[in-house]
Amino acid sequence: MFGIISHKLVASTAGGSPGQPILRAAVLAMMSNYSTATKQIMVREALNSALDEEMAADPTVFLMGEEVGEYEGAYKVSKGLLRKYGPQRVVDTPITEAGFTGIGVGASCHGLRPIVEFMTFNFAMQAIDHIINSAAKTNYMSAGNINVPIVFRGPNGPAAGVGAQHSQCYAAWYSSCPGLKVLAPYSSEDARGLLKTAIRDPDPVVFLENELLYGESFPVSDEVLDSSFCLPIGKAKIEKEGKDVTITAFSRMVGYALKAAEILEKEDLEAEVINLRSIRPLDRSLINNSVRKTNRLVTVEEGFPQHGVGAEICASVVEENFNYLDAPVERISGADAPMPYAANLERLALPQVEDVVRAARRACYRSVPTATTA
């Protein structure tokens, strides 16, 4: 708390007051769902600042995982934290996910707020018993008497050239389990706002980052950089408004959906792109309202098609909006196969921008016949 207060005081006395009326007017002119871009920061920097501020504000928050301390994180997300907070709050662990995850869950049951970093969520399979049977179920099975305020975070889904052992998307796995909250940020704003909320939440949160997004820079506003900034769990964001087709995506696929929307715009098709942000709970209301406006749906994800996030969204939309649909729903996903290692096969196994474009065209009955393109 003292860290947050002091941060606000520094911000309020750091000069720049002549620009405040202009900034306030700009903010009011924008939709509340969007931020006024004033600075570019990388996703890893956004995550690092969120960790730093929450650790400064709450002494019960600590980080643990492989290489999070001396090496400053496998992806440099925890850079500088060991030096600032010491080895009792930035804990380098052995290579034993089951061991340190179990310690983290136990600590969260006794008044601490651990942040458990996995070098990749593929390795979290070693700790699945603690994540599901211990963390996710304890609050319910204790009749609400025991909270488990813990965050499981790290890179999820495919990176590049890392084979089947390191490329799986676990969004659908974890979002199928009651007791967990599952978040998947896309931009720096998402990463910062959602991680701060996750750390403060009284329930276990699975925080699915993406390795290929760590070095990506995104524009953020002064509001996002304020230490009090948080994003609500369970709320999606309309990244681009449109009237012809709804495209839902999360994590890195949001960028692909936005690129597809740019291509479609040149063909006089306005796609509405929804950044899910929260996989469980899912913002069904926003998705339903969008589909009722556009009358079409395309879902995009890197995970497997069977029982995927897109499958859940399509089923939900058909159940609640069948009479509004003017075309069959479309699912774009990864291939139903373990990830190939070869770069050319890897590309074929993952959704590409052109796949999203073709699906949107089909939904809008703009497909070019195969014979014409041959």
Side-chain angles (χ1 to χ4, degrees):
M1 180 61 72
F2 291 114
I4 290 178
I5 294 172
S6 63
H7 193 99
K8 285 184 176 179
L9 289 174
V10 170
S12 64
T13 58
S17 55
Q20 287 301 314
I22 299 175
L23 177 62
R24 189 175 297 110
V27 170
L28 290 174
M30 299 289 287
M31 291 180 62
S32 60
N33 217 16
Y34 293 81
S35 59
T36 309
T38 57
K39 183 181 179 182
Q40 294 267 346
I41 65 170
M42 288 189 291
V43 169
R44 66 162 52 91
E45 294 172 328
L47 293 167
N48 178 269
S49 66
L51 291 169
D52 187 7
E53 290 174 9
E54 293 307 302
M55 291 179 74
D58 185 349
T60 67
V61 175
F62 72 97
L63 175 67
M64 65 190 307
E66 297 156 4
E67 299 184 351
V68 299
E70 294 288 347
Y71 193 67
E72 299 191 311
Y75 308 98
K76 304 308 174 193
V77 171
S78 55
K79 185 177 181 180
L81 298 183
L82 174 64
R83 184 171 61 253
K84 188 170 183 179
Y85 297 104
Q88 287 191 320
R89 296 187 64 195
V90 182
V91 184
D92 277 321
T93 67
I95 304 174
T96 169
E97 282 76 14
F100 65 74
T101 304
I103 290 171
V105 174
S108 69
C109 292
H110 287 272
L112 298 179
R113 290 182 174 268
I115 303 163
V116 175
E117 177 178 310
F118 298 115
M119 200 174 290
T120 163
F121 260 96
N122 297 268
F123 298 162
M125 292 303 293
Q126 300 290 327
I128 195 73
D129 182 52
H130 294 299
I131 297 171
I132 305 299
N133 284 327
S134 297
K137 299 177 182 178
T138 293
N139 183 259
Y140 180 81
M141 295 180 70
S142 68
N145 290 311
I146 302 175
N147 286 108
V148 188
I150 187 170
V151 177
F152 305 103
R153 53 158 294 271
N156 169 71
V162 292
Q165 299 95 331
H166 301 78
S167 297
Q168 194 162 322
C169 175
Y170 288 92
W173 283 55
Y174 290 117
S175 63
S176 69
C177 181
L180 291 177
K181 296 174 181 177
V182 183
L183 306 178
Y186 162 60
S187 64
S188 299
E189 176 181 323
D190 292 352
R192 180 171 159 78
L194 290 174
L195 183 55
K196 288 172 74 70
T197 302
I199 294 170
R200 299 178 188 186
D201 199 89
D203 300 312
V205 178
V206 173
F207 198 85
L208 304 173
E209 299 155 14
N210 185 280
E211 181 180 336
L212 297 178
L213 287 176
Y214 283 136
E216 291 287 322
S217 293
F218 292 88
V220 296
S221 66
D222 290 340
E223 176 194 4
V224 173
L225 296 174
D226 190 274
S227 62
S228 63
F229 178 76
C230 287
L231 287 172
I233 292 174
K235 294 295 182 183
K237 175 185 178 183
I238 297 176
E239 296 282 353
K240 179 186 177 298
E241 291 194 345
K243 61 179 178 60
D244 295 316
V245 59
T246 296
I247 304 176
T248 68
F250 61 93
S251 190
R252 194 164 69 106
M253 290 295 99
V254 176
Y256 282 41
L258 289 170
K259 289 177 183 176
E262 290 179 12
I263 296 171
L264 292 167
E265 201 161 23
K266 297 174 183 176
E267 303 173 12
D268 199 29
L269 287 177
E270 296 181 18
E272 181 149 291
V273 177
I274 296 177
N275 172 7
L276 295 177
R277 285 180 167 171
S278 178
I279 311 301
R280 184 184 182 108
L282 196 62
D283 194 348
R284 300 175 193 273
S285 176
L286 187 142
I287 296 169
N288 288 338
N289 289 337
S290 178
V291 170
R292 289 170 184 175
K293 177 175 67 173
T294 67
N295 311 115
R296 295 168 175 85
L297 172 67
V298 176
T299 69
V300 190
E301 64 186 307
E302 293 178 300
F304 300 134
Q306 184 162 325
H307 309 305
V309 175
E312 170 63 24
I313 293 173
C314 289
S316 176
V317 165
V318 168
E319 287 171 354
E320 300 183 41
N321 307 283
F322 183 78
N323 290 334
Y324 288 88
L325 290 171
D326 287 341
V329 294
E330 293 265 358
R331 284 189 296 155
I332 303 298
S333 69
D336 193 23
M339 182 64 65
Y341 176 74
N344 60 327
L345 297 179
E346 182 184 67
R347 189 180 190 281
L348 291 173
L350 290 172
Q352 303 298 323
V353 173
E354 52 265 33
D355 297 324
V356 184
V357 171
R358 284 194 292 265
R361 286 172 181 158
R362 286 193 299 269
C364 297
Y365 300 108
R366 295 283 190 91
S367 295
V368 179
T370 305
T372 308
T373 59

